[in-house]
Amino acid sequence: MTIVMKFGGSSLADAEAIKRCVSLARAHDSDRVAVVVSAMGKATDLLVELADAAVDGTRRRVHTLLGELHEIHETAAHVFGAEEAVTPLLSQLDTLVAGIGAVGEITPRSRDAVLSFGERLSSTIVAAALDGHAMTGHEAGIVTDDRHTEANPLMKMSLHQIRENLTPRLDRGERIVVTGFIAATQHDVTTTIGRGGSDLTATLIGAALPADEVWIWSDVDGLMSADPRIVPTAHLLDHVTFAEAIEMGQFGAKSMHPRALEPAAEHAVPVRMRNTYNPDSPGTLITTGEPDGETVRAVLRLRGSALLTIAGAAMVGRQGTAARVFQTLAAEGVNVQVISQSVSEAGISVVIPEAHVDRARQALEQHLVRAGFAKHVDIQKDIDVVAAVGAGMAGVPGIAARVFTAVAAREVNVMAIAQGSSELSICFVTRADQSAAAVQALHEKFGLGR
Ligand code: ASP
Ligand code: MG
């Protein structure tokens, strides 16, 4: 069996945690295993802050952050006898940061160089602990465009190269440890593929080999039918389809980023979410194929959003208004989470992160209201989005009726509704203080409690 095992930062927080991951990987010594690692613990957050502090010239902060990074990695390196490999990496980081400080400027390219140290260091330490071979994502074969900090892997070339580079090593029984998150352009310039990108590294490798399964090890068992903090009877979903997992991807840090699921879905490589602190749990298996017969599988909520409504008679029957709204929001870098427009065309409602509200309001007032395309922009803060997700809902009449009956019975007011034509989810907007009741009502209504 060929398995890609990706260990997240929380599973690699210190030497103790690394030992646990190493024994989980070693338990599969008779299989072909490619390990992918994130940076240790919060190392990437520290590096992000370090890059900013280096430009600002806040010497003391730079000193403290470098100190912390040295401490975390030297301590772990010491336990596994990896000092010889780790010391030069840390001095390279010191030099790089000093250089940025001297110039007082950071380019996206040098920022990526700084960020890459988290995974360079963790892979070196894990390889020592595992008695394996460390390689960067670039050495493994991942090539990206040059959109630094959010680079996109060039799929065809990457898949081909990964296969060429890793297969002979796995055939020889080598244990390989690949850096997640970092890759390089075709000109060998280091890039990173976006925060949380190690999952994508893992699924790329899984798709390339191809692996029988990709295991994403973190500190949660997998996907749940609801957040157990608000629904105590919530249960672990033992199996979901890629379509469902992608639909659930926006709801909380504990799910996988849809971008990471795409290569696995496309190449039909099953992904299993697993917990390093609870390895006896089989986790959640994500595969292609049919949903598990039920309708609603999970009830989720997205917090910290605002509902923004652009309204006015001028919008009715006028072509290009929606385009103008979304172009304006896009130009301001506002992320649109939910969209809803009634057939009257007298208003378009969008849900956006609360942090983007001021930017969005200003831009819409300037480009729509003052330009005569709309009458006013309304904003409601403190709202949540609740979603009922399940691939089995498609084509089944009466689901929406059941959803809204259950919510109404709890006297929760629904402020906006959206459903994609894929019918994978129904989502609606409520006041933040009513969303927990809505989630509880739906979880119960669809019999998801165990
Ligand atoms: N270390 C990177 C981050 O924290 C990538 C990852 O962990 O997936 O975003
Ligand atoms: Mg991560």
Side-chain angles (χ1 to χ4, degrees), residues 310-334:
I310 305 99
M315 294 168 66
V316 178
R318 186 171 197 164
Q319 279 141 30
T321 312
R324 202 173 294 269
V325 169
F326 294 114
Q327 264 159 16
T328 304
L329 293 173
E332 288 300 313
V334 173

Side-chain angles (χ1 to χ4, degrees), residues 257-281:
H257 196 288
R259 201 171 56 120
L261 290 165
E262 231 158 49
E266 223 161 85
H267 293 84
V269 175
V271 173
R272 194 182 284 279
M273 298 175 68
R274 303 198 61 180
N275 186 350
T276 38
Y277 298 93
N278 184 19
D280 292 335
S281 166

Side-chain angles (χ1 to χ4, degrees), residues 6 8-9 38 196:
K6 179 259 173 176
S38 284

Side-chain angles (χ1 to χ4, degrees), residues 6-10 38-39 41 119 195-199:
K6 179 259 173 176
F7 294 100
S10 60
S38 284
E119 274 75 6
R195 293 303 306 270
S198 299
D199 290 355

Side-chain angles (χ1 to χ4, degrees), residues 137-138 142-145 154 182-192:
H138 177 218
I142 304 177
V143 185
T144 69
D145 62 16
L154 308 177
I182 67 178
T185 65
Q186 276 168 287
H187 304 293
D188 299 341
V189 179
T190 299
T191 52
T192 63

